[in-house]
Amino acid sequence: MSELHGLQHQIGRLLEVRRPHDARALVGEALALDPADPDTLCLAGRVELAQQQRAEAERRAHEALARAPGHDGARSLLFDILLADKRHAEAEAVVLERLRDDPADPVALTDYARLLLHVFQLDKARALVAEALRCAPDDAAAQVLDAVLHVIQGDDRAAADRLARLVAADPEAAHVAWTAMLVLSERGHPRQALEIGRQLLRTSPDNPRLVDAVIELRLASHWSMLPLWPILRGGWVASAVLWAVAVFGLILLRPFVHEVVLLVLALLYLALLLYSYVGPPLLRRWLRWRGF
Amino acid sequence: MTRSRPELERALAEDPFDLATRKEYARALEDDGQAAAALRQWELVCRQQPDSAAGFLGAMRCHRALGALERAEACLREAEAKQDFSPEIRPARPAPALQVLTGGGDVRPAAVVPLRPAAVRFDDVIGHAALKKTLEVRIIAPFVRPGLFARFGKRAGGGVLLYGPPGCGKTMIARAIASECRASFIAVGISEILDMWLGRSERNLAAAFDRAREQRPAVLFFDELDALAFSRSKAHTDHTRTLVNEFLNQLDGVAHDNQGVLVLGATNMPWDVDPAMKRPGRFDRQVFVPPPDDDARAEMFRVKLADAPTGPIDVLRVARATPHCSGADVDGVIEAAKERVLTEILAGGPERPIAESDLLAAAKEVQPSTLEWLRTARNLVKYAGDGSYRDVEDYLKSARLL
Ligand SMILES: Nc1ncnc2c1ncn2[C@@H]1O[C@H](COP(=O)(O)OP(=O)(O)OP(=O)(O)O)[C@@H](O)[C@H]1O
Ligand SMILES: [Mg+2]
């Protein structure tokens, strides 16, 4: 292993343990040894990305690509930057180029699927993930994405199967826990999902998305949300059904029961409606403020 | 009655603070011509008994035997400054001609961390009164007097992890613990361990532990522990995992005896440290180092402004103007205030001392560096239900951040 390789290895490690600042100093050293090495330029870009300097990171990625056209790490870096910047069309161009070079590259296939998920092209994303899993059945990123897509499309069983396989492969990995949280909450087990979410939060308390997710799960498993269970579970379809049932139910009941009973039923229904509008946001604020 | 070297070694392993035995051992090594090893022992004696001449005289003899005449001189001067130094034991200086014969050889000087003249003491750490008391009773005393604690059925050992927001004195407290323990202090950070060559990081870590065991009583301090023992569940490569495994191995001391070695760690991100590191016998005591309160900050301003020219300053008012600031932030405020005054003077103004208004103006510009950390910790306490952060919870409540 040459000195340059050693430095690159070290930079990768520092990035892994979240020390981009220390990594940056070594990038300077590595660039001094060889200012044109594409691997070093990629790492330089990764350091910038870790410090939220996306423009600078993009410049590094292009620099690496200019030295070594088609460099895999550089294209992968560029893709991540563009996706983070929500420049979806450009990101697609990059990933398509990777797939032209190697149509069976599971990483590129998964990246493409990730991009399509961002723009809600779910069917195409599914097809891409299936292809990625055909090329590399054990690829963790593809498996996670597969479970996520199953959840979004409402196929909880398939998601749970996928999750079981992930857990068996690496029960402690953080990405597995994330998937488990998502699948469990989607299958109507907010309590278990909350437990996993809280475990995850203990290791990543600086992740605002995780904080939001945990608060939502606590909300969903709160006793005061019990009357709203069908609405929370079924979304707007359930709301519409409930509306229809209530209105038609009241009309149909009219000839048979006393007016007072009808009035009480109508009021109860209105109260539930009002509560479904006001309750969750209030409780959400309360939980965020008070903690749990 | 003279004891053999193995007997002495066994006795020292049992009680590393037995000075008489250590001196006897050092003399035995000297008699056997092992000057470098003897020097290491004498240096420990110096550290444990800094106001006695004996250790320095022993070190001087060894330096001389090793040919390091300048160091020998320095040790002699140290010895002469001690109360119990008597002129009769002043050794004759060797004739210059003999230097060539006694010196030379390829014996390398002992790799002992030199005793810093300005070692940080507990008294230099401002504030943290309760914390210092706890550390005193739970860590320093068991370490310095293992025999006493053994009689009460309490065992010294296990590591201590200091955690808290940046700049609040974790590193400083670790240094102070070492000097209060009168032990050698071996500090290792990321740059000493993480190595660019494959497999060398693990070896560096093992070497640090070996060095500490060799120099016991010793305090082995790992700064930024989260980077050295990064959570294996969050790592994507095997390198990080291998290093954590080696760390656990060394801490458990299955193949090694860690008696007389106090392992300390410090980190800003305790949640990134691998959970296995916090199990009993490892870093099982986690100590929260909070930001200084108003009184502590006032004291910091008073102490740190002591050697600068100042006008009348109400330090408590300045402290109240810097809420949530860390010790390092206080340093920053003082530097900024000094800069203001100097800029004015250089721009042709009259020469004047630092005024309270300078400090207050500087305080406005400094962002407390602890807030981001405290917000993150709040997520842990509020939503994650993590019971191991009780102290943080109490602090957040008292600072009205919860
Ligand atoms: N309690 C204190 N008393 C006196 N000075 C302090 C105190 N706390 C912090 N300081 C000052 O702040 C500086 C930084 O402290 P130190 O390096 O110990 O913080 P730290 O907690 O280790 O920070 P980091 O997490 O950034 O490593 C010290 O050099 C010292 O000048
Ligand atoms: Mg520090």
Side-chain angles (χ1 to χ4, degrees):
Chain A
M1 202 164 71
S2 72
E3 173 153 18
L4 184 60
H5 276 122
L7 278 171
Q8 289 169 346
H9 167 74
Q10 177 87 327
I11 294 166
R13 269 187 103 154
L14 287 170
L15 278 174
E16 179 168 22
V17 298
R18 306 212 284 165
R19 288 291 188 288
H21 190 79
D22 297 283
R24 185 181 283 273
L26 292 189
V27 165
E29 269 178 53
L31 284 175
L33 284 180
D34 181 358
D37 185 89
D39 291 332
T40 309
L41 291 169
C42 275
L43 284 166
R46 289 274 167 208
V47 170
E48 301 288 358
L49 191 59
Q51 297 189 314
Q52 304 297 333
Q53 305 288 326
R54 290 210 280 267
E56 197 54 27
E58 193 178 346
R59 199 176 64 71
R60 289 297 194 192
H62 283 302
E63 217 176 317
L65 283 173
R67 310 273 178 203
H71 187 276
D72 242 3
R75 288 198 295 203
S76 179
L77 168 67
L78 188 57
F79 176 82
D80 287 347
I81 298 165
L82 293 171
L83 195 62
D85 259 347
K86 294 200 167 51
R87 286 151 64 188
H88 297 134
E90 289 168 77
E92 182 174 36
V94 174
V95 78
L96 279 176
E97 200 184 308
R98 275 161 73 192
L99 285 173
R100 250 198 304 282
D101 290 353
D102 179 4
D105 177 2
V107 183
L109 287 166
T110 312
D111 274 350
Y112 197 8
R114 203 149 52 95
L115 169 67
L116 291 178
L117 174 61
H118 275 247
V119 295
F120 289 101
Q121 296 274 354
L122 300 182
D123 290 330
K124 287 184 192 149
R126 272 231 51 79
L128 282 163
V129 169
E131 180 63 16
L133 284 172
R134 206 180 53 74
C135 302
D138 296 328
D139 188 278
Q143 295 195 53
V144 169
L145 200 55
D146 184 56
V148 171
L149 282 166
H150 278 309
V151 165
I152 293 174
Q153 294 191 312
D155 190 353
D156 298 350
R157 280 219 68 81
D161 286 349
R162 179 56 73 198
L163 174 63
R165 257 186 284 169
L166 272 169
V167 172
D170 192 355
E172 303 226 318
H175 63 260
V176 176
W178 272 95
T179 317
M181 180 174 76
L182 187 70
V183 171
L184 282 171
S185 94
E186 223 33 54
R187 296 205 76 181
H189 301 295
R191 230 171 263 284
Q192 288 88 327
L194 174 65
E195 208 30 63
I196 295 179
R198 293 176 93 175
Q199 297 285 355
L200 266 176
L201 193 57
R202 282 173 207 178
T203 61
S204 311
D206 45 0
N207 185 336
R209 271 173 45 219
L210 187 55
V211 171
D212 290 344
V214 167
I215 291 176
E216 280 316 305
L217 287 171
R218 179 70 190 95
L219 182 75
S221 54
H222 199 265
W223 58 266
S224 69
M225 291 295 113
L226 219 54
L228 302 182
W229 186 78
I231 299 177
L232 289 178
R233 190 79 183 88
W236 66 269
V237 182
S239 310
V241 170
L242 206 65
W243 249 116
V245 167
V247 172
F248 285 108
L250 285 176
I251 292 172
L252 289 177
L253 278 179
R254 236 176 106 180
F256 307 111
V257 295
H258 199 272
E259 298 232 324
V260 179
V261 177
L262 271 187
L263 191 67
V264 169
L265 281 177
L267 282 179
L268 267 180
Y269 179 68
L270 279 179
L272 181 68
L273 203 68
L274 193 67
Y275 182 55
S276 76
Y277 273 110
V278 185
L282 275 184
L283 182 63
R284 188 178 290 120
R285 283 186 168 204
W286 167 260
L287 289 172
R288 188 176 280 280
W289 179 69
R290 264 317 296 244
F292 40 84
Chain B
M1 181 193 83
T2 52
R3 286 178 282 180
S4 72
R5 265 178 51 195
E7 274 172 345
L8 289 167
E9 276 160 12
R10 231 170 298 130
L12 280 176
E14 263 165 38
D15 184 2
F17 293 93
D18 182 351
L19 268 173
T21 307
R22 194 169 294 283
K23 285 182 196 165
E24 198 181 331
Y25 180 51
R27 250 173 255 122
L29 287 169
E30 265 187 82
D31 291 344
D32 287 355
Q34 301 199 15
L39 174 61
R40 210 167 302 160
Q41 297 302 321
W42 283 123
E43 285 184 332
L44 286 172
V45 172
C46 294
R47 209 159 298 146
Q48 288 176 50
Q49 206 181 24
D51 37 14
S52 161
F56 293 99
L57 286 172
M60 179 209 65
R61 283 194 301 275
C62 297
H63 277 309
R64 198 186 277 169
L66 292 168
L69 293 181
E70 274 173 32
R71 288 190 193 194
E73 268 309 308
C75 285
L76 182 59
R77 272 198 301 280
E78 286 272 5
E80 280 170 343
K82 306 299 173 201
Q83 287 282 318
D84 61 354
F85 179 82
S86 58
E88 301 91 80
I89 57 172
R90 168 186 258 284
R93 274 161 223 260
L98 286 180
Q99 283 176 12
V100 188
L101 297 178
T102 50
D106 54 359
V107 192
R108 289 193 319 151
V112 170
V113 182
L115 193 65
R116 263 176 232 87
V120 183
R121 311 284 310 186
F122 249 4
D123 290 337
D124 301 327
V125 179
I126 299 165
H128 296 312
L131 177 66
K132 284 196 273 191
K133 190 132 224 108
T134 320
L135 291 173
E136 196 99 48
V137 175
R138 287 187 34 200
I139 290 147
I140 298 169
F143 189 74
V144 179
R145 306 175 65 184
L148 174 70
F149 277 72
R151 280 198 291 285
F152 281 88
K154 273 186 95 72
R155 222 182 143 289
V160 181
L161 177 60
L162 303 167
Y163 70 92
C168 292
K170 294 182 295 295
T171 305
M172 201 174 173
I173 289 174
R175 288 185 179 282
I177 290 177
S179 66
E180 297 294 327
C181 283
R182 283 169 286 155
S184 347
F185 185 60
I186 298 159
V188 266
I190 308 183
S191 50
E192 278 90 1
I193 301 290
L194 290 194
D195 197 283
M196 55 192 228
W197 307 114
L198 226 56
R200 269 260 279 275
S201 305
E202 291 76 33
R203 255 180 289 160
N204 288 342
L205 189 65
F209 271 93
D210 284 342
R211 225 171 89 201
R213 289 183 198 113
E214 221 168 81
Q215 293 179 30
R216 61 183 121 204
V219 172
L220 179 55
F221 172 55
F222 294 97
D223 211 351
E224 308 196 59
L225 185 72
D226 55 298
L228 300 175
F230 193 73
S231 175
R232 282 171 294 180
S233 67
K234 289 200 266 181
H236 348 277
T237 66
D238 280 339
H239 309 300
T240 302
R241 291 176 206 180
T242 353
L243 187 59
V244 177
N245 289 337
E246 174 66 26
F247 216 134
L248 296 173
N249 221 355
Q250 292 287 343
L251 282 174
D252 289 346
V254 177
H256 331 273
D257 172 19
N258 286 340
Q259 192 82 51
V261 177
L262 175 65
V263 189
L264 280 181
T267 176
N268 293 346
M269 286 168 284
W271 42 84
D272 274 350
V273 177
D274 194 274
M277 296 286 288
K278 300 178 189 169
R279 303 240 168 87
R282 298 168 184 165
F283 287 94
D284 46 6
R285 281 159 296 177
Q286 287 133 44
V287 178
F288 175 48
V289 180
D293 58 12
D294 282 357
D295 292 332
R297 276 200 310 282
E299 180 67 10
M300 279 181 196
F301 277 112
R302 202 183 58 70
V303 171
K304 292 178 187 212
L305 284 167
D307 1 304
T310 51
I313 289 177
D314 179 357
V315 282
L316 197 56
R317 183 147 22 153
V318 181
R320 293 215 176 100
T322 51
H324 306 304
C325 275
S326 68
D329 292 335
V330 167
D331 291 352
V333 169
I334 292 176
E335 286 314 304
K338 282 181 183 164
E339 221 160 85
R340 288 178 88 85
V341 177
L342 285 174
T343 320
E344 251 182 64
I345 296 174
L346 290 178
E351 203 167 317
R352 65 171 182 87
I354 302 170
E356 192 177 307
S357 58
D358 296 313
L359 288 166
L360 291 175
K364 277 211 188 77
E365 282 157 29
V366 169
Q367 286 287 333
S369 59
T370 61
L371 280 180
E372 194 188 331
W373 192 94
L374 292 170
R375 276 192 209 110
T376 301
R378 187 172 57 184
N379 289 340
L380 274 179
V381 170
K382 265 176 118 166
Y383 311 121
D386 197 341
S388 47
Y389 293 98
R390 284 265 179 277
D391 295 341
V392 180
E393 184 173 354
D394 292 342
Y395 174 79
L396 289 171
K397 273 186 189 142
S398 73
R400 293 168 185 281
L401 285 168
L402 201 62

